[in-house]
Structures are given as structure tokens and as C-alpha cells.
Amino acid sequence: MNINNFFHRNWWAIFYFNFKMLPFKQAIKFPFDFYGKVRFPSLKGRVVINCPVTRRMVEFGRAESEIFPSERCIISIKGDLVVNGKGNSFGSGVILEINEGAIMELNNDLLNAPRTKFIIKKGLYIGNHVRISWEGQLFDSNFHYIRNRVTGAIPPIHKEIRIGDYVWIGNRVTLNKGTNIPNHSIVASNSLCNKDYSKEGKEYITIAGSPAKVVAEGYERIFESVEYKLCCELAAKK
């Protein structure tokens, strides 16, 4: 761990959030960890942990890179935050808003880079071993209603977002309502995703564009657990 993170740990936020949002037997293990400045506009919702509780299951405000200075995290929970696993980390400057009646579900090993915005009106499901790069936007709502002037129909403005396992989402990607990213997918930087990309039953797809579409198949992210070994193998072949 970066030594700066140790000294920038926000002990007030750690004690306040854990003991306010969790039963005492869970809170005393401090599963939620905070670094730097944090603001909690509302904590009227619930946090539900569906697995063995351990220290630092979910972190907010980590600043592992000099590219991004430490920035305030804003966390508002009026709905439900459901935690099914550990090793989930949100970078500095993250905005997380879970509205009334909405559910955000985390599993294992989410690494979310700084300055990402999560505005959840209905639901967000994030699978295992997901990487979300910096300055992303995840909005499961259009926020404003529109009407068809011919039929009078008013379409729904909220629809759940789902992200599968082993997904890599590049920087400045926007996931809009109804987005479904299948397992082992890659989403290119600056893409705007707004539909179900799992309909054809395929995995290992690369998605790019605005609006985004499938541009390649058969590629996968090399995750950190095997990256060092691979780099050594490639260097030996030169």
C-alpha cells in the first residue's frame, strides 16, 4: 500500500460510517475504509453484507497515483448498498449516489479509478474482478421524462445497469440506463454504452464508439495477478 494512504486515512469517516450503517458485530470489524476528505449528504439507506465480514472489504478515496491528487469523495446512500464480497476499492473524487428504492450490488475485486460518478435510481450490479478507469459515468436514468407527441406514450426513465465478471472499462466511459456488459468484455475509452450487449450470448467482446457497438471479439484483459509473469516472458523473447 502507498505510505501516503496510511497517513491520509480518514478515521472520523471510518468510525462514523461503519457504526451508523452496520450492526455492531459487523461495524467493529471496520469493513468500510476511507481516505482523504469524505462528505455524506445522506445515509438514510441500508448497507447489507452477505458474506463473512473482514477488514477493508470496501475502500473509498485511495490515491495510488500522482496523476490524480487526493479529492473529496461524496457518498449518499438512500437506497441499498449490497456487498457480496471483498477487495472493492473506489478511487479519490468518486461520487456515489444511491437513491431511494435503488440497489447497488458489489461482489469481489472491483478496482475503480478516481473521479467516477455513480448516480443510481434503480439498480447497478457489478460482477467479480471488474476494472473501471478514471472519470467514468454510470447513470441508470435519463433523469427527465419525454413524451411521444403522436402516441402520448411516456417511456420509463430508469433501467438497471449490469456489468459482468472480468470486465475492463476504459477511461471516460459512460454507461447509461439498460446497459448490460457481458463477462470478459473490454469497453474502449470515451465510449457511450446504452443497450444490452449480452443479447447474442457472446463473451470476450470489445465495445467501442458513441453510441457503442461491438467492434471485435476474442480479446481479454490481462489482469494484475498474471501481468508481471507475462511481462517477464515477453521480455525474454526479445
Side-chain angles (χ1 to χ4, degrees), residues 59-202:
E59 300 177 328
F60 286 92
R62 287 284 291 272
E64 293 286 358
S65 173
E66 293 77 11
I67 298 174
F68 294 100
S70 180
E71 297 179 356
R72 184 191 302 272
C73 290
I74 300 175
I75 301 166
S76 178
I77 302 176
K78 298 178 183 178
D80 291 352
L81 175 59
V82 179
V83 181
N84 299 322
K86 59 184 180 179
N88 298 293
S89 181
F90 294 82
S92 63
V94 163
I95 297 174
L96 172 61
E97 179 183 302
I98 306 173
N99 287 270
E100 292 183 25
I103 301 173
M104 178 173 176
E105 192 168 351
L106 299 175
N107 287 283
N108 292 284
D109 187 32
L110 164 67
L111 181 57
N112 172 224
R115 296 179 179 171
T116 301
K117 299 179 179 69
F118 299 83
I119 310 297
I120 310 304
K121 300 284 190 178
K122 183 175 180 63
L124 169 62
Y125 174 89
I126 302 177
N128 299 289
H129 313 294
V130 171
R131 300 291 182 266
I132 303 176
S133 193
W134 41 271
E135 295 183 351
Q137 299 186 132
L138 292 86
F139 302 151
D140 70 343
S141 176
N142 291 338
F143 300 104
H144 305 286
Y145 288 97
I146 59 173
R147 177 187 290 112
N148 186 312
R149 295 189 63 191
V150 175
T151 66
I154 301 175
I157 60 172
H158 310 320
K159 193 173 183 181
E160 182 187 40
I161 294 172
R162 295 188 65 86
I163 302 172
D165 298 337
Y166 294 96
V167 169
W168 178 24
I169 298 174
N171 61 289
R172 294 175 175 164
V173 167
T174 296
L175 301 188
N176 280 345
K177 70 167 192 174
T179 297
N180 188 336
I181 308 294
N183 298 340
H184 300 280
S185 294
I186 298 171
V187 183
S189 299
N190 295 293
S191 296
L192 188 154
C193 303
N194 59 1
K195 64 180 181 180
D196 184 353
Y197 298 91
S198 68
K199 283 185 175 180
E200 295 184 8
K202 295 181 179 179

